[in-house]
Amino acid sequence: MNAHHATLVIGATGTTGRRITARLVAQGHRVKAAGRTAAPVEGAQAVRFDWNEPPTWDETLDGVDRAYLVPPIGSSDPAAVMLPFLRKARAAGMRRTVLLSSSAIAAGGPAVGQVHEALPGLFEEWAVLRPSWFMQNFTGHTPHARSIREDGAILTATGKGRVGFVDAEDIAAVAVRALTDEQAPDTDLILTGPQALSYDEVAAIITEVTGRPVAHRHLTFEQLRDRWAAEIPLEFATMLAGMDHAIADGTEDRTTDTVQRLTGRAPGTLHAFAEREIR
């Protein structure tokens, strides 16, 4: 890596971005930490960045040769803003990009799948991270964390479907390798934890670790959609319920060795995550 160039981390205060930034800084890399508020990040240069405000792009791109890309939150057409930015980045000397996508979305698929498909044509060095569902979805201010605290329950329409839940720490560890290794992955990487678990099993693990009973309530697709639709637009509510429906059909029932292969260590278990993060 050229010592004069910085690594750009977009979404530097987010779930993966802040972990990636901290790891890069700890390894002595120069980091530009980009976000809508340019919040200070220890050891990094904070810079204001908004996908929807092209005037923020120039300063963000100055002096960087690689970037971690988190798509605009909640956008159904991220390519519309991301592709113009990425073309500009390439013209400005960007050589390598690592894009955060999802295990549920293949190249050419909806939303970020369109950006994934375009990436190899824009950059010779690239990777697309496609993590399964985050273990962090059970902590903080997420809907699951709220219902665990308030109702002692996780509510899903996943039935007995299993998910290879992955710790954001492991996603960050892979991202840092993809950004800094001499040879870029030049492929997409499906990231999972060490085991695929049903939400019944998740509830049992959280119960065991916290000592407070947590149940998994099985909802139908329609029940979950209507529950979401009370808070968010129907189209989005339908999409979220549809993702649970896909899990019930087995689309996320897999594990990969990607974390082990790229980082040299096994991915963390949900049990270890719960002991560390769920109180």
Side-chain angles (χ1 to χ4, degrees):
M1 187 186 290
N2 186 325
H4 302 300
H5 284 116
T7 301
L8 173 65
V9 178
I10 290 175
T13 57
T15 304
T16 57
R18 64 188 164 86
R19 291 172 166 88
I20 291 164
T21 300
R23 284 168 183 265
L24 288 168
V25 167
Q27 290 178 17
H29 298 293
R30 286 185 51 211
V31 180
K32 266 195 167 178
R36 282 188 305 234
T37 61
V41 178
E42 195 174 343
Q45 177 193 349
V47 57
R48 199 175 93 73
F49 172 84
D50 193 321
W51 285 114
N52 299 306
E53 290 182 37
T56 66
W57 296 359
D58 285 335
E59 193 199 336
T60 302
L61 289 170
D62 185 38
V64 301
D65 71 345
R66 58 198 67 207
Y68 176 70
L69 310 166
V70 175
I73 308 289
S75 164
S76 57
D77 184 19
V81 291
M82 291 185 77
L83 294 182
F85 172 82
L86 292 174
R87 285 192 282 268
K88 188 171 188 123
R90 185 181 67 175
M94 182 85 72
R95 294 206 336 271
R96 184 182 301 200
T97 55
V98 175
L99 169 68
L100 179 65
S101 180
S102 153
S103 59
I105 302 173
V112 72
Q114 301 296 311
V115 184
H116 177 168
E117 189 171 51
L119 215 56
L122 286 164
F123 303 95
E124 281 179 27
E125 302 177 16
W126 62 280
V128 178
L129 306 188
R130 294 178 55 200
S132 183
W133 294 76
F134 288 30
M135 293 179 184
Q136 278 68 15
N137 289 350
F138 300 110
T139 58
H141 302 291
T142 62
H144 283 326
R146 209 164 56 232
S147 69
I148 288 169
R149 280 194 302 268
E150 292 171 9
D151 310 322
I154 302 168
L155 288 73
T156 85
T158 58
K160 297 208 179 308
R162 299 195 303 177
V163 176
F165 294 100
V166 62
D167 190 337
E169 295 288 350
D170 290 322
I171 301 169
V174 169
V176 168
R177 296 304 297 261
L179 286 163
T180 63
D181 280 358
E182 196 156 322
Q183 182 66 49
D186 298 333
T187 187
D188 64 326
L189 301 165
I190 293 182
L191 309 180
T192 72
Q195 54 197 154
L197 300 166
S198 70
Y199 278 89
D200 288 355
E201 291 170 310
V202 169
I205 289 167
I206 295 173
T207 298
E208 184 194 337
V209 169
T210 62
R212 294 191 307 277
V214 176
H216 172 215
R217 281 199 210 131
H218 294 244
L219 303 184
T220 64
F221 167 82
E222 292 78 13
Q223 285 171 325
L224 186 63
R225 179 199 61 202
D226 295 348
R227 187 181 162 85
W228 277 117
E231 298 178 36
I232 57 175
L234 180 62
E235 185 187 9
F236 201 45
T238 305
M239 187 195 81
L240 286 176
M243 290 169 108
D244 270 22
H245 208 52
I247 290 170
D249 285 341
T251 57
E252 293 296 322
D253 189 351
R254 61 178 156 192
T255 56
T256 67
D257 67 349
T258 313
V259 172
Q260 174 87 48
R261 219 174 56 239
L262 267 83
T263 69
R265 55 178 182 72
T269 64
L270 184 71
H271 197 283
F273 169 81
E275 289 191 318
R276 190 181 81 224
E277 306 242 356
I278 304 178
R279 296 285 171 261

